[in-house]
Amino acid sequence: MSISKTYQPKQAEDKWYSYWMEQGFFRSVPDEREPYTIVMPPPNVTGVLHMGHMLNNTIQDVLIRRARMQGKNACWVPGTDHASIATEAKVVAMLKEKGINKKDLTREEFLSYAWEWKEKYGGIILEQLKKLGASCDWERTRFTMEPDLSEAVIDTFIHLYKKGLIYRGVRMVNWDPQGKTAVSDEEVIRREVNQKLYYINYKIVGVEGHLTIATTRPETIMADAAICINPNDERYFHLHGKKVLIPLINREIPVILDEYVTMDFGTGCLKVTPAHDLNDYELGIKHNLPVIDILNDDGTLNEKAVILIGEDRFAARKKIAVMLEEAGALEKVEDYKSQIGFSERTNAVIEPKLSMQWFCKMDEMAKPALDYVLNGDIKLIPEKFTNTYKYWMENVKDWCISRQLWWGQQIPAWYLPNRQYVVAKTVEEALEEAKSLKLKAESANTMNYELLTINDLKQEEDVVDTWFSSWLWPISVFDGFKNPDNADINYYYPTNDLITAPEILFFWVARMIMAGHEFRGALPFKNVYLTGIVRDKLGRKMSKSLGNSPDALELIEKYGADGVRYGMLKSSPAGNDLMFDEDHCKQGSAFVNKIWNAFNLIKGWEIDESLSSINKVSIDWFSGRFNQVLIDIDGQFKQYRLSEALMSVYKLVFDDYCSWYLEMVKPPYQPFVEKQKIDKESYLATLAFFENLLRVLHPFVPFITEELWHDDLFGPRAEKDCCIVANLPAIGEIDTQLLTAVENVKQLVTEVRNVRNSKQISPKDKLPLAIKTNSGIDYPLFEAIITKLANLEAVEYTGVKINGANAFLVGTDEFFIALADNIDVDAERERLLAELEYLQGFLKSVNAKLQNERFVQNAKPEIVENEQKKKADAETKIAIIEDSLSALAK
RNA sequence: GGGAGUUUAGCUCAGCUGGUUCAGAGCAUCUGCCUUACAAGCAGAGGGUCACUGGUUCGAACCCAGUAACUCCCA
């Protein structure tokens, strides 16, 4: 294979991804190996790849690839989420463009459009993940609304209903009067708006006088159920137990007491309107107040308002202000700023509205789910999220699981003509159930249950919340509901790691843990790695509306998948937001190119059997260094410090292998030969090291490593002999003494280069070096290396200082470079004096510690020992420098 | 309003049980090199009141209290 000067990612990526697929390397079936399982957080089926997905899936792929190379049976299950709200919104928008209004369609018609849409756009995102190199078992791809998974949703709904955990209840929802639909909290955009605060007088019944309330919504006074004051408010003691009249309609309402009211906001009197404000609603429940809903679905006032019937809420607000003024009930109007919710879709002002919804009781299920995390069976990474999780689980609220949408699993409840309902899997079962209701029927009930037919039953229109299907994901992808004892689920469940974003810790992660316990009696995963939010350089969340998110596929096009993976991982410690900067990808592709070029160097070599081995020290050193880094990486992976692990690999390749090892062993340039001759042992060792580096690199940069793995240089490879399934190198022996010695040697080489740099001496000029060793380091052993890397002409060992030479210290060893021009004596003295001063100060502080009895008594022995060593070192160095200074004086 | 978290070099982050006399990395910056693998490179260098104020300790970036700024979650 001829090798080009720079690496061309594109061909390699397509080629190897298909090859991996053909060979079935991503496929996992249960066997006798230890399983390692990740279920992918299913992206929205009609979504496109964004930076959050890139980060998330890069992390998953690194973990999966590493596990595979550790000999585990690695299984990564991909899939998509039907995302009812987002998808339905997209379909509605698409229909609108075609001139079709959702309201004019039947449910069946709408759903067929939606499925068509899903078939067309669904799965694009999974195709995009392939470009990133995601090694998922694609044969296991699931969709949250496919028949089996939907059936699981229905079955679990019925299960929970029978257990008494699902009930119907009234709840305040975000109502969009323009779209005439409830929208989720996530779809409400809060904006600060200039408003008016109206001060309105209410007459007190039975006595002279009035009280004044402040409100931004005077049109809702007709829905008032009470006036609330703080019981501690001295201004209003006289109102306790009184009643007041609502202006204009003169309905009598009570004054109630509750500490909920803030005394210093407004007038201290709060109008309580349970039908049109969430807080008021809760206050109403507490005080048993009636709920008077004066608004129609389209935001106009209904007959309960008594006045202004049929007017729009905003028109009514203006009119009522005038009417109040005319009635003398308007005290004053002030400007006021506050947050108002707008519908993301229609931009209409959201109206809090009471509606009947389905709920799932949470407290019973939350308890065991909290325990899994608190007792460490499930680890949250980083740990700090445990607190948040605990707080939420201890204050869990019931889950509103119904959504007023069509795209999703329709709630399996059927209403009888008298609004009684039954919960059953099919309409036939529902009918049976309905007929049996007779027994429980009250005597006043005139309905004849015996005569009910299927046509009398009407299924609940609402669907369940999307999370009500995704909370089953780790079980349902392995068919754990339909076949609870099948081989897959027994083998893969509980899964190992879940990689997801912290903002869905409650929505999704907590509920999966609950579902795992409820439906399988076991946790769904052992570790939860929470990634950060991907932000731009300015710290803003990446979003489509800001347009600050780079196109994921363009990035891959530009930097190669390996480069982008590097860029995503570079600065993404768990749980911290990732300030994404394209520069990281650039660095990634530079790194990939560096690997390519290192290989290019080796390709230019040829074994010459006649040469004897001269690089034993270098080979031993790198081997030890490699093993040392393997240990580091292992530890970093155990703690999920992926960016640190990547940095360790980066430095191992860039610094240790390329900058030091290859420079040590590379044969001197031989002119007039096509390939540089090298001894056999060095060549084989270097190539073996490179292959091991490929293994360590593979989880991070899979494509370049697979490409090089198959180069002729490694000889012919069997069909299945691929980097992706190679074993990670085992950790071998480490000669610590050798490693320490080489650290000194490296420092020595750096010092020589420094002298060269500061004296402006060309790297081509050879320098003389004299060594006066005071440590036990065997410099002759490293002489060849030092000579080569520092470009020396000769190395001399001396017992005495060399006057007039450039001198420096490494540890306690002294080195001299004698140059033709004498050194600047004054400058040298100054340098030495500065160093002496530093060392004396250092020694002083060390001595202070050692003379401090409390330190010697309290500190750990090894720390005291270390201080003593520091002291000895400093004393030696001081002696050397004092010597040098006196020599300089001569 | 309640809760959680963050604050260390220009940027992004390490600093794991409190223990070097000035705290590390990568990138960026500066200087010098087109040195036969790589200028997407090589060799060097500079850069910090660890947000602030107190306290605990022989010893604090680290523990405690308070202050400030920012971020997120729940309402």
Side-chain angles (χ1 to χ4, degrees):
Chain A
M1 195 201 298
S2 76
I3 195 156
S4 69
K5 198 166 174 181
T6 52
Y7 172 57
Q8 306 296 330
K10 196 152 174 41
Q11 297 93 316
E13 287 170 12
D14 292 344
K15 177 174 69 181
W16 292 114
Y17 201 85
S18 332
Y19 191 77
W20 292 329
M21 291 279 273
E22 280 160 31
Q23 295 296 323
F25 289 140
F26 304 162
R27 179 70 179 143
S28 169
V29 286
D31 60 22
E32 68 294 336
R33 286 176 297 166
E34 181 191 339
Y36 175 83
T37 318
I38 297 181
V39 291
M40 175 189 292
N44 289 359
V45 67
T46 61
V48 290
L49 201 60
H50 62 62
M51 299 311 287
H53 295 124
M54 300 273 277
L55 171 64
N56 206 276
N57 287 288
T58 301
I59 293 168
Q60 293 178 64
D61 196 47
V62 170
L63 294 175
I64 277 284
R65 283 180 187 268
R66 182 174 161 86
R68 195 180 284 124
M69 293 178 79
Q70 284 171 326
K72 293 179 190 162
N73 186 345
C75 180
W76 184 11
V77 184
T80 47
D81 191 304
H82 66 277
S84 48
I85 296 169
T87 307
E88 180 152 331
K90 278 187 189 169
V91 174
V92 168
M94 175 273 288
L95 289 172
K96 202 172 178 184
E97 266 180 37
K98 286 189 184 173
I100 304 172
N101 197 329
K102 182 191 164 192
K103 272 181 266 177
D104 301 334
L105 296 176
T106 64
R107 187 178 194 116
E108 286 64 38
E109 285 166 346
F110 177 82
L111 285 178
S112 88
Y113 278 118
W115 278 106
E116 201 179 296
W117 173 273
K118 185 258 166 187
E119 292 311 321
K120 193 164 166 195
Y121 298 103
I124 288 181
I125 194 161
L126 298 182
E127 289 307 310
Q128 292 177 322
L129 283 179
K130 292 179 183 170
K131 297 267 180 260
L132 189 64
S135 60
C136 310
D137 182 352
W138 298 106
E139 287 176 51
R140 293 184 178 274
T141 306
R142 307 305 292 257
F143 173 52
T144 53
M145 234 172 99
E146 67 182 64
D148 284 354
L149 274 69
S150 285
E151 194 181 335
V153 169
I154 299 305
D155 286 344
T156 51
F157 184 98
I158 296 167
H159 166 94
L160 293 171
Y161 177 78
K162 288 194 174 141
K163 237 181 139 176
L165 293 179
I166 285 184
Y167 65 93
R168 291 185 85 212
V170 169
R171 175 181 141 119
M172 197 67 86
V173 295
N174 304 304
W175 186 259
D176 174 347
Q178 202 172 319
K180 287 190 199 157
T181 174
V183 294
S184 70
D185 291 345
E186 293 81 54
E187 293 173 298
V188 176
I189 299 165
R190 304 206 149 267
R191 279 202 293 266
E192 191 152 276
V193 178
N194 288 318
Q195 298 200 83
K196 299 236 181 288
L197 195 57
Y198 298 85
Y199 287 77
I200 304 171
N201 297 331
Y202 287 48
K203 279 205 178 98
I204 304 165
V205 177
V207 292
E208 268 303 296
H210 61 263
L211 59 76
T212 308
I213 58 103
T215 180
T216 56
R217 305 206 56 193
E219 76 279 12
T220 63
I221 59 169
M222 294 80 80
D224 285 356
I227 298 293
C228 190
I229 54 175
N230 193 305
N232 305 316
D233 196 333
E234 294 174 6
R235 294 171 296 176
Y236 299 125
F237 281 163
H238 65 285
L239 294 176
H240 291 198
K242 290 283 191 297
K243 291 191 168 179
V244 296
L245 291 175
I246 299 175
L248 303 178
I249 60 167
N250 289 322
R251 182 158 53 76
E252 211 175 80
I253 51 169
V255 173
I256 60 169
L257 307 175
D258 201 294
E259 292 189 348
Y260 164 79
V261 179
T262 319
M263 287 188 271
D264 50 13
F265 179 78
T267 61
C269 296
L270 173 75
K271 78 194 257 303
V272 185
T273 320
H276 300 293
D277 183 278
L278 180 59
N279 296 315
D280 290 12
Y281 176 68
E282 277 164 12
L283 205 55
I285 290 177
K286 195 169 159 191
H287 293 273
N288 205 17
L289 298 172
V291 175
I292 305 157
D293 187 343
I294 60 162
L295 287 177
N296 292 315
D297 285 353
D298 61 359
T300 57
L301 272 61
N302 64 26
E303 66 285 350
K304 286 192 191 131
V306 184
I307 51 172
L308 296 170
I309 297 167
E311 293 280 353
D312 179 74
R313 52 192 169 142
F314 297 112
R317 182 176 303 172
K318 282 185 187 146
K319 290 190 177 167
I320 206 163
V322 176
M323 290 162 76
L324 286 167
E325 179 129 49
E326 284 166 359
L330 190 61
E331 178 95 13
K332 60 174 174 174
V333 181
E334 278 179 357
D335 286 329
Y336 179 68
K337 257 188 192 165
S338 74
Q339 294 254 319
I340 286 201
F342 292 85
S343 167
E344 189 178 36
R345 272 183 269 163
T346 64
N347 208 30
V349 173
I350 291 296
E351 190 66 50
K353 186 178 168 66
L354 289 172
S355 66
M356 195 55 105
Q357 302 286 341
W358 292 83
F359 288 87
C360 183
K361 277 190 198 161
M362 288 278 102
D363 42 0
E364 209 174 291
M365 282 193 277
K367 177 89 185 57
L370 175 58
D371 289 344
Y372 279 127
V373 172
L374 289 188
N375 67 21
D377 290 342
I378 295 177
K379 271 207 321 222
L380 302 186
I381 299 141
E383 231 173 317
K384 66 179 179 187
F385 285 107
T386 308
N387 277 339
T388 324
Y389 180 81
K390 179 166 179 273
Y391 180 81
W392 192 73
M393 293 305 261
E394 283 174 349
N395 297 283
V396 69
K397 297 224 162 59
D398 285 355
W399 175 13
C400 177
I401 54 173
S402 46
R403 294 289 181 273
Q404 291 69 54
L405 299 166
W406 282 346
W407 178 246
Q409 291 92 5
Q410 196 172 359
I411 288 176
W414 275 264
Y415 294 99
L416 279 53
N418 66 353
R419 293 309 282 170
Q420 271 185 295
Y421 66 90
V422 291
V423 169
K425 193 164 181 175
T426 62
V427 68
E428 290 79 15
E429 283 175 35
L431 186 62
E432 288 303 304
E433 192 85 10
K435 284 183 175 170
S436 70
L437 282 177
K438 186 175 71 169
L439 302 169
K440 295 174 229 159
E442 297 160 28
S443 53
N445 200 329
T446 55
M447 197 161 86
N448 191 337
Y449 293 90
E450 296 284 347
L451 296 178
L452 282 174
T453 67
I454 281 177
N455 292 331
D456 294 323
L457 298 179
K458 194 166 176 298
Q459 190 175 357
E460 167 66 59
E461 288 279 310
D462 291 358
V463 297
V464 290
D465 181 13
T466 304
W467 300 111
F468 198 83
S469 56
S470 37
W471 75 325
L472 309 175
W473 187 244
I475 305 174
S476 58
V477 294
F478 297 117
D479 273 328
F481 288 97
K482 214 172 178 187
N483 303 301
D485 202 27
N486 77 71
D488 274 0
I489 191 132
N490 287 335
Y491 182 71
Y492 294 115
Y493 191 97
T495 67
N496 295 73
D497 297 337
L498 176 80
I499 319 300
T500 193
E503 63 255 40
I504 53 174
L505 182 59
F506 311 132
F507 285 132
W508 192 44
V509 179
R511 286 171 185 160
M512 277 192 286
I513 299 173
M514 292 182 199
H517 183 79
E518 178 67 25
F519 302 115
R520 278 207 77 82
L523 40 84
F525 30 70
K526 292 168 202 132
N527 301 293
V528 182
Y529 178 108
L530 296 150
T531 64
I533 296 167
V534 182
R535 297 174 179 281
D536 67 8
K537 270 197 273 189
L538 301 172
R540 299 174 305 180
K541 200 170 165 173
M542 288 206 170
S543 73
K544 254 192 286 173
S545 51
L546 273 174
N548 58 350
S549 178
D551 184 287
L553 294 178
E554 272 172 30
L555 279 180
I556 292 176
E557 190 76 25
K558 201 162 160 193
Y559 301 105
D562 288 335
V564 175
R565 290 165 68 106
Y566 177 98
M568 295 311 307
L569 284 172
K570 172 71 200 308
S571 61
S572 61
N576 279 357
D577 287 359
L578 166 80
M579 302 297 168
F580 183 76
D581 186 341
E582 245 185 76
D583 263 9
H584 292 150
C585 296
K586 203 168 140 195
Q587 201 192 327
S589 61
F591 179 47
V592 166
N593 196 44
K594 181 76 183 179
I595 299 168
W596 182 262
N597 277 311
F599 194 69
N600 208 8
L601 173 68
I602 303 171
K603 273 187 87 79
W605 297 349
E606 193 173 57
I607 296 174
D608 183 341
E609 303 266 3
S610 69
L611 292 175
S612 55
S613 166
I614 48 164
N615 292 311
K616 187 174 183 320
V617 180
S618 305
I619 292 166
D620 288 349
W621 166 73
F622 184 77
S623 165
R625 182 71 198 124
F626 181 77
N627 286 321
Q628 203 175 38
V629 175
L630 280 188
I631 292 172
D632 290 350
I633 294 170
D634 222 40
Q636 285 150 348
F637 265 101
K638 284 203 175 96
Q639 294 178 76
Y640 294 84
R641 293 166 176 246
L642 268 59
S643 46
E644 281 181 41
L646 174 61
M647 193 43 63
S648 296
V649 179
Y650 177 88
K651 284 198 259 188
L652 177 67
V653 171
F654 231 110
D655 300 343
D656 293 311
Y657 191 71
C658 292
S659 296
W660 291 102
Y661 175 77
L662 286 180
E663 293 300 328
M664 287 174 188
V665 302
K666 104 177 171 192
Y669 180 67
Q670 304 139 33
F672 316 118
V673 291
E674 198 185 320
K675 293 204 162 192
Q676 308 296 306
K677 308 285 184 233
I678 187 167
D679 71 272
K680 188 173 177 181
E681 196 195 350
S682 302
Y683 179 82
L684 293 179
T686 304
L687 199 59
F689 286 149
F690 196 90
E691 196 187 87
N692 273 340
L693 287 174
L694 290 180
R695 295 170 202 254
V696 180
L697 282 162
H698 181 84
F700 300 104
V701 284
F703 293 109
I704 174 95
T705 49
E706 194 70 83
E707 173 78 9
L708 293 179
W709 184 267
H710 294 274
D711 191 274
D712 307 341
L713 220 49
F714 294 106
R717 298 266 188 199
E719 198 180 37
K720 298 251 177 201
D721 181 0
C722 289
C723 195
I724 186 177
V725 288
N727 288 324
L728 282 179
I731 296 166
E733 276 174 42
I734 298 168
D735 181 344
T736 348
Q737 238 186 332
L738 177 63
L739 288 176
T740 318
V742 171
E743 280 317 300
N744 274 38
V745 167
K746 280 160 74 176
Q747 208 186 322
L748 157 60
V749 169
T750 301
E751 291 286 356
V752 176
R753 285 169 176 168
N754 231 331
V755 169
R756 197 188 285 280
N757 245 337
S758 62
K759 304 281 176 212
Q760 307 269 358
I761 301 166
S762 156
K764 287 175 190 161
D765 295 341
K766 291 183 185 303
L767 299 175
L769 177 75
I771 300 175
K772 177 172 180 287
T773 174
N774 307 304
S775 72
I777 292 171
D778 182 7
Y779 284 100
L781 183 64
F782 305 104
E783 197 176 302
I785 295 172
I786 298 167
T787 307
K788 191 169 180 181
L789 297 187
N791 196 21
L792 303 175
E793 60 183 8
V795 176
E796 178 196 336
Y797 299 89
T798 172
V800 292
K801 285 183 194 301
I802 302 194
N803 283 335
N806 289 274
F808 55 86
L809 274 177
V810 172
T812 52
D813 296 330
E814 291 172 82
F815 300 87
F816 307 94
I817 298 172
L819 294 173
D821 336 339
N822 269 342
I823 53 159
D824 180 339
V825 176
D826 288 338
E828 184 66 4
R829 181 183 294 115
E830 214 163 290
R831 191 180 68 81
L832 288 171
L833 280 172
E835 206 173 334
L836 185 65
E837 198 184 336
Y838 167 84
L839 281 166
Q840 279 166 340
F842 178 79
L843 183 62
K844 202 175 149 195
S845 85
V846 172
N847 274 333
K849 260 190 213 178
L850 286 170
Q851 279 154 17
N852 182 334
E853 268 176 50
R854 294 219 264 171
F855 170 74
V856 179
Q857 272 166 21
N858 296 335
K860 281 177 236 160
E862 59 265 30
I863 285 162
V864 178
E865 209 176 295
N866 193 31
E867 289 302 307
Q868 263 147 0
K869 206 177 141 233
K870 272 153 61 181
K871 179 184 168 171
D873 260 20
E875 281 167 350
T876 313
K877 283 188 187 175
I878 286 170
I880 292 169
I881 289 171
E882 277 171 343
D883 253 21
S884 303
L885 277 169
S886 59
L888 214 55
K890 281 174 197 166

